[in-house]
Amino acid sequence: MATRRNRRVMEQLLQKETKMNTEPERKFGVVVVGVGRAGSVRIRDLRSPHASSAFLNLIGFVSRRELGSIDEVPQISLEEALSSQEVEVAFICSESSSHEDYIRQFLNAGKHVLVEYPMTLSWVAAKDLWELAEQKGKVLHEEHVELLMEEFAFLKKEVVGKDLLKGSLLFTAAPLEEERFGFPAFSGISRLTWLVSLFGELSLVSATLEERKEDQYMKMTVCLETENKSPLTWIEEKAPGLKRNRRLSFHFRSGSLENMPNVGINKNIFLKDQNIFVQKLLGQFSEEELAAEKKRILHCLWLAGEIQKHCCSKQ
C-alpha cells in the first residue's frame, strides 16, 4: 500500500515537472520587495535560465534604500509596483515585521504573493491574510526552504514508521533584533516546522525565556508533546560569537538518532521553492495538498504565538 502511494506521489511530481518544462503560454510579471540575502538570491534565480523562471518576468525591485538598479534590474517605487498592471506577483523578502503590511497591500492590489517565513508575527493576522487571498483568488505562498534541505530529507526517511519516545532540537546562532525579526518562536519557526513536519501537530507544555540583554544573550526553552504524549524539547540559544549550529537527539523504540550526519550540500533551495510557487500559479497543486500545507503553517504560527504568551507571562 505504502509503495503504491509513494509511486503515485512520484508520478504526480514528475507530471508537474514535465508541465513546467513546456514552453510557457504566458509570463507572470514579478517584483521583489527587499534586497537583502533572500531578495538577492531571488533576483539571481529569476534572472537564471531555469524551468520555473521561464514563467516569470522580473519587472524590478522595491527597496527603502536608493539603489537605482541591481545587475540591470531597475528599482521601482512601492506605489508603482502596486498599481502596475505588468506586476502580477510580489516576492516579499523584507524583514519579518513588515511582511503583514506588504502582503495585505499586494493582495488588495490583486497580486499573487510569495513571502519568506514567517508570513506574519501572529496567527490571527496569517489567518486573516489567507482569507483575503482566497477572496481575491490569489496564491499566497509562504517559503519554507528548510523543508527542501538534504538534512530534512534524511530525517524524514529516518523517522518514518518509528515510534518516538522523546526528542530534542537545539539551535544556536548570533542574536537577531526582535523588533525586525519577531519573538524567537517566530524568527526560529523553521525549527518548529521541522518538528511538526516530522512528528505531526504538537501541543505546548511549557516555555521559558532567559535573557541577559547587556550581553545580548537569549535562551528560549520550549517543552512540547506529540499527539501520543511523547515529549519534545526545542531550544533556541543566541549570543554574540555563537556559531550557527543545529543539534538533535531523537529516541525511538527501535533505536536512537544522535545529531546529523553529513548528508551533502543544499543546492538551489530557493529555486526549488520558486518551482513550487510556479506550480501553484499554474494550478498544479490539488486542493488537498494546499489545505494540508495551510493547516501546517497556521498550526506552527499558532504554536509560536502560544510560546510567546507563555514566555512573556513569566517575565
Side-chain angles (χ1 to χ4, degrees):
M1 182 69 177
T3 303
R4 284 203 303 271
R5 186 163 58 247
N6 291 341
R7 191 182 301 125
R8 191 163 62 247
V9 169
M10 288 301 297
E11 287 171 355
Q12 288 171 349
L13 287 171
L14 285 170
Q15 286 170 3
K16 289 175 183 177
E17 289 176 8
T18 301
K19 287 178 184 176
M20 271 214 307
N21 286 326
T22 59
E23 191 65 30
E25 294 178 8
R26 56 166 297 196
K27 289 192 174 189
F28 295 85
V30 181
V31 65
V32 175
V33 181
V35 287
R37 188 181 75 88
S40 299
V41 172
R42 294 294 187 182
I43 288 174
R44 180 201 68 193
D45 288 344
L46 284 162
R47 298 180 74 240
S48 300
H50 301 295
S52 62
S53 300
F55 290 85
L56 303 168
N57 177 31
L58 180 57
I59 304 294
F61 70 89
V62 173
S63 176
R64 290 174 304 187
R65 294 173 289 164
E66 290 294 331
L67 299 172
S69 66
I70 297 175
D71 296 331
E72 301 180 356
V73 179
Q75 182 171 1
I76 63 175
S77 69
L78 176 61
E79 293 71 23
E80 187 180 348
L82 290 166
S83 62
S84 171
Q85 291 188 346
E86 264 192 297
V87 174
E88 299 168 89
V89 170
F91 281 19
I92 310 297
C93 308
S94 56
E95 53 203 29
S96 305
S97 58
S98 65
H99 287 180
E100 179 184 345
D101 185 48
Y102 278 134
I103 295 169
R104 196 176 301 280
Q105 289 189 69
F106 278 100
L107 287 177
N108 278 322
K111 320 294 186 187
H112 302 284
V113 173
L114 175 153
V115 60
E116 310 298 345
Y117 72 76
M119 179 189 301
T120 64
L121 300 178
S122 98
W123 171 79
V124 172
K127 196 164 174 288
D128 182 51
L129 290 173
W130 233 306
E131 288 172 2
L132 178 60
E134 287 164 3
Q135 288 168 14
K136 297 286 185 179
K138 299 300 171 184
V139 172
L140 175 55
H141 170 80
E142 184 185 51
E143 162 267 311
H144 276 286
V145 292
E146 76 278 10
L147 300 181
L148 305 174
M149 291 178 170
E150 295 297 327
E151 295 94 330
F152 181 75
F154 168 81
L155 284 177
K156 196 75 175 169
K157 289 177 184 175
E158 284 293 309
V159 308
V160 66
K162 292 182 180 177
D163 188 7
L164 180 73
L165 297 176
K166 64 178 181 177
S168 64
L169 174 57
L170 165 66
F171 180 77
T172 60
L176 289 174
E177 292 178 48
E178 190 171 326
E179 295 76 18
R180 297 171 61 200
F181 299 100
F183 187 78
F186 286 97
S187 59
I189 206 164
S190 63
R191 267 75 70 189
L192 187 57
T193 302
W194 261 27
L195 293 176
V196 168
S197 299
L198 290 171
F199 302 111
E201 292 196 352
L202 305 171
S203 56
L204 177 62
V205 177
S206 66
T208 58
L209 182 67
E210 178 189 347
E211 283 186 296
R212 294 197 302 272
K213 292 190 177 179
E214 67 277 11
D215 299 325
Q216 292 183 276
Y217 176 83
M218 180 282 300
K219 184 177 182 181
M220 181 183 73
T221 304
V222 181
C223 296
L224 302 157
E225 259 185 0
T226 67
E227 290 182 343
N228 293 329
K229 303 296 182 185
S230 299
L232 281 167
T233 303
W234 168 35
I235 298 172
E236 294 273 310
E237 188 172 17
K238 294 182 179 177
L242 271 184
K243 289 185 178 179
R244 190 178 177 88
N245 195 17
R246 189 189 299 111
R247 291 189 218 115
L248 54 84
S249 174
F250 297 136
H251 296 272
F252 307 96
R253 290 195 187 279
S254 56
S256 298
L257 176 64
E258 298 281 352
N259 293 319
M260 180 73 68
N262 187 353
V263 292
I265 299 169
N266 293 304
K267 293 182 180 178
N268 298 323
I269 52 177
F270 282 92
L271 179 60
K272 290 174 184 176
D273 179 71
Q274 178 182 290
N275 293 347
I276 293 168
F277 177 66
V278 168
Q279 287 164 7
K280 289 179 181 179
L281 289 178
L282 299 176
Q284 294 176 6
F285 272 75
S286 70
E287 291 297 320
E288 290 78 13
E289 288 172 306
L290 294 172
E293 181 186 59
K294 176 182 172 182
K295 185 181 180 186
R296 186 205 74 227
I297 289 170
L298 287 176
H299 176 66
C300 290
L301 288 168
W302 176 81
L303 268 179
E306 291 300 300
I307 292 166
Q308 183 176 8
K309 285 180 196 172
H310 270 65
C311 290
C312 293
S313 69
K314 294 177 181 178
Q315 287 186 316

